[in-house]
Amino acid sequence: MRIGVDIGGTKTEAVAIDGAGRVIEEMRVPTGFGADAVIASTVAAVTELADRLGTTPPAFGAIGVGVPGAVDPASGRVAHAVNLGLDDLALGDELAARLGVRVRLENDVNVAALGAFHLLGLGAERSMAYLNLGTGLAAGLVLGGRLWRGSRGTAGEIGHIPVDPAGELCSCGQRGCLELLASGSAVARQWPTEHPRPVQNLFEAAAAGDALAIEVRQRFIDNVASAVRVLVLTVDVDDVVIGGGITSLGAPLLEAIREVLASWSAQSEFLASLELPSRVGLAPAGPVASVGAALLGDLASSIEPDLV
Amino acid sequence: MRIGVDIGGTKTEAVAIDGAGRVIEEMRVPTGFGADAVIASTVAAVTELADRLGTTPPAFGAIGVGVPGAVDPASGRVAHAVNLGLDDLALGDELAARLGVRVRLENDVNVAALGAFHLLGLGAERSMAYLNLGTGLAAGLVLGGRLWRGSRGTAGEIGHIPVDPAGELCSCGQRGCLELLASGSAVARQWPTEHPRPVQNLFEAAAAGDALAIEVRQRFIDNVASAVRVLVLTVDVDDVVIGGGITSLGAPLLEAIREVLASWSAQSEFLASLELPSRVGLAPAGPVASVGAALLGDLASSIEPDLV
């Protein structure tokens, strides 16, 4: 049995999985803001989960924790997790001291990639990119069954590839970044709404025939498809799995992305040969990030956290 | 001792390397055109090389062969090698039958990546992209010391990532592909010349103050730098090594690329954190592709041809 935790911007989710990787218990608590509160809410989630299982955290050899921001798995430090109020925190050590277990820390998109790979039942010979459509745009890569973090943990940062020299200025200092066109914040900027789910609201308005909504929706979908193309052309993963909150849109989202990819294939024999529409899918339902974090916890797992 | 062959558009190069990977013998013959002639020139190169070493090809357990085009290493077939006049040829089997050895076939950019990785003395913990600036633009990836071909052998095909919606139509059917801006053919189109080395001629004209040459040169360098950025943001390799004929330009080419990357870093804290200028370099002198091909020949080598 292994425990994994995903520290999200609003909620912290903890799961326990059995030896076969099935979720046997899960729970959520609100995420605190700032170092002390984030540590406290994470400790509370793990302790409560262990309690429900009739045990205590030290009974687990190690737990895995996914967190947004720049994470150094070797040192267990996290930097620049702005929406959690964290900057350069030794989160791994802090949690380990309070919980009495070894803690493996990893970036949230990377653990979601591992979790999706596992929940989709993909084998060790497969490769997959998890394309996270959140406020920003980033991907996690699982190559040959293993998480590929890259040399400095920045693999999959495709949101900051410029795709239009005439595009807007990005907060990263570049112009025309893909993230400005294919992300939750991209939609929020082009389709201002008080709706709690702006992308869903956009799709509903587009389905109802609103001309601006149709235009904004198409630009968004076109650029999500561009992100898929970047991942396949560069890394040539078997599959690109779309993840993040907006996957609750379900089949209409996937069909729209596939339509764009198919229209490109009709114009390019080269792209057609890559069979992009059949290689894109949606992340599975379920707690992908916390399951992925749990898989980090066991170094003996067939899914290793590092390639090298 | 291992033998590797690189079948290029004009010449075929064969090398023998010793157990430590040092080149102990090498030779070149003109490459034939069409299936029979390509097979004949490759057989001649290998037979002559073995003869110089006082032996015959069957004395080698296997030889590695790099060839342009779409290569299936499992079947030893090559498709679409237009400038060799090959289409769907069982080149591996044909060579094996004539030479009496097992043949491992691989794409030319991929073997060059393996060879550069080896000749640079990079260790198994390192990752590297070999960015080949030839007629087209493509990269070979070595991740954690191993060649990453991708799921269908198309990893590193970054030349067909569109980077400008207002760009020219590419022969692949898309618009604004990176290859239209950062490749030998891109330079040839923008700087027509009878000079045998158009990029060298362009750089000389730019150095002499020709306004058009300066503009074309800068556009070329900017987009080579873009290719470096795509590779680092997506795969996060330690190093990007520039290869292909134009690397004979040497230090001025590398310095120009580094200047562009440094100017971007000055505008983007995010890019600055990636330290791109220090991560780009030139391919080593020497027969990178044939050495890489030789490394394919020995499955017991620490450098495996496949990741999975």
Side-chain angles (χ1 to χ4, degrees):
Chain A
M1 198 161 59
R2 310 171 208 161
I3 285 184
V5 183
D6 176 47
I7 304 178
T10 54
K11 64 175 169 43
T12 293
E13 181 177 79
V15 299
I17 62 174
D18 65 14
R22 283 176 300 237
V23 175
I24 51 177
E25 187 64 82
E26 57 184 300
M27 66 158 303
R28 290 169 191 79
V29 299
T31 301
F33 186 83
D36 291 347
V38 166
I39 292 166
S41 54
T42 307
V43 168
V46 173
T47 307
E48 166 69 16
L49 186 78
D51 191 52
R52 288 194 196 174
L53 295 163
T55 183
T56 58
F60 299 91
I63 66 170
V65 177
V67 64
V71 174
D72 179 0
S75 68
R77 299 190 79 87
V78 55
H80 310 309
V82 181
N83 60 349
L84 298 181
L86 303 184
D87 191 25
D88 196 27
L89 174 67
L91 183 58
D93 286 351
E94 296 284 352
L95 292 174
R98 282 165 179 77
L99 291 167
V101 294
R102 194 160 61 90
V103 171
R104 280 192 74 94
L105 207 67
E106 185 48 272
N107 170 266
D108 60 345
V109 176
N110 283 346
V111 293
L114 265 186
F117 189 85
H118 172 77
L119 289 170
L120 289 168
L122 302 180
E125 80 290 355
R126 292 287 280 273
S127 57
M128 186 204 84
Y130 178 89
L131 180 62
N132 190 59
L133 295 171
T135 307
L137 176 74
L141 304 176
V142 182
L143 306 184
R146 297 174 180 190
L147 183 61
W148 173 256
R149 308 186 74 254
S151 67
R152 307 181 180 202
T154 62
E157 286 287 353
I158 61 168
H160 296 291
I161 293 178
V163 292
D164 186 358
E168 289 176 64
L169 200 63
C170 180
S171 62
C172 82
Q174 302 185 95
R175 190 172 287 282
C177 289
L178 194 48
E179 179 169 296
L180 293 171
L181 300 160
S183 66
S185 57
V187 168
R189 226 175 24 254
Q190 296 172 73
W191 183 254
T193 169
E194 296 297 310
H195 194 282
R197 295 177 174 271
V199 183
Q200 184 187 320
N201 180 254
L202 170 71
F203 272 61
E204 285 167 1
D210 182 291
L212 176 62
I214 291 171
E215 184 191 324
V216 172
R217 173 188 175 281
Q218 197 57 46
R219 192 179 306 132
F220 171 72
I221 294 294
D222 285 349
N223 285 285
V224 172
S226 290
V228 172
R229 177 174 53 189
V230 164
L231 289 164
V232 172
L233 287 177
T234 309
V235 195
D236 187 22
V237 284
D238 288 290
D239 306 293
V240 178
V241 167
I242 313 285
I246 74 157
T247 52
S248 61
L249 289 167
L253 172 70
L254 182 59
E255 284 315 305
I257 297 167
R258 285 181 168 159
E259 268 173 34
V260 171
L261 294 170
S263 73
W264 292 348
S265 298
Q267 295 180 319
S268 167
E269 202 180 323
F270 169 69
L271 280 190
S273 75
L274 299 178
E275 300 177 314
L276 295 173
S278 65
R279 295 167 75 174
V280 65
L282 295 183
V288 288
S290 48
V291 166
L295 293 169
L296 287 175
D298 183 358
L299 281 172
S301 159
S302 65
I303 299 175
E304 293 288 340
D306 290 289
L307 182 71
V308 293
Chain B
M1 197 160 59
R2 308 171 210 160
I3 284 184
V5 184
D6 176 46
I7 304 177
T10 54
K11 64 175 169 44
T12 292
E13 181 178 76
V15 300
I17 62 174
D18 66 14
R22 284 177 301 237
V23 175
I24 50 176
E25 186 64 82
E26 56 185 299
M27 66 157 304
R28 290 169 191 78
V29 299
T31 301
F33 186 83
D36 291 345
V38 167
I39 292 166
S41 53
T42 307
V43 167
V46 174
T47 307
E48 167 69 17
L49 186 79
D51 192 51
R52 288 193 196 176
L53 295 163
T55 183
T56 57
F60 300 90
I63 65 170
V65 177
V67 65
V71 173
D72 179 0
S75 69
R77 299 190 79 89
V78 55
H80 311 307
V82 181
N83 60 349
L84 298 181
L86 303 184
D87 192 26
D88 196 26
L89 174 68
L91 182 58
D93 286 351
E94 296 285 352
L95 292 174
R98 282 164 180 78
L99 291 167
V101 294
R102 195 159 60 91
V103 171
R104 281 192 73 93
L105 208 66
E106 185 50 271
N107 171 268
D108 59 344
V109 177
N110 283 347
V111 293
L114 264 187
F117 190 85
H118 172 77
L119 289 170
L120 289 168
L122 302 180
E125 79 290 355
R126 291 286 280 275
S127 57
M128 186 205 82
Y130 178 89
L131 180 61
N132 191 59
L133 295 171
T135 308
L137 177 74
L141 304 176
V142 182
L143 305 184
R146 298 175 182 188
L147 183 61
W148 173 256
R149 308 185 75 255
S151 67
R152 305 182 183 201
T154 62
E157 286 287 355
I158 61 168
H160 296 290
I161 294 178
V163 293
D164 186 357
E168 289 175 62
L169 200 63
C170 181
S171 61
C172 83
Q174 303 185 96
R175 190 173 287 281
C177 288
L178 194 49
E179 180 168 294
L180 294 172
L181 300 160
S183 66
S185 57
V187 167
R189 228 177 20 255
Q190 296 172 73
W191 183 254
T193 170
E194 296 297 311
H195 194 283
R197 294 176 175 273
V199 184
Q200 185 187 319
N201 180 254
L202 170 70
F203 272 59
E204 284 167 0
D210 183 289
L212 176 63
I214 291 171
E215 184 192 323
V216 172
R217 173 187 176 281
Q218 196 57 45
R219 192 178 304 131
F220 171 72
I221 295 293
D222 285 351
N223 284 286
V224 172
S226 289
V228 172
R229 177 174 52 191
V230 164
L231 289 165
V232 172
L233 287 176
T234 308
V235 195
D236 187 22
V237 283
D238 287 291
D239 306 293
V240 178
V241 167
I242 312 286
I246 73 156
T247 53
S248 61
L249 289 167
L253 173 70
L254 182 58
E255 284 315 305
I257 297 168
R258 285 182 168 159
E259 268 173 35
V260 171
L261 294 170
S263 73
W264 291 347
S265 297
Q267 295 180 319
S268 167
E269 202 181 321
F270 169 69
L271 279 189
S273 75
L274 300 177
E275 300 177 312
L276 295 174
S278 65
R279 295 167 77 174
V280 65
L282 294 184
V288 289
S290 47
V291 167
L295 293 169
L296 286 176
D298 183 358
L299 280 173
S301 159
S302 64
I303 298 174
E304 292 288 340
D306 290 288
L307 183 71
V308 294

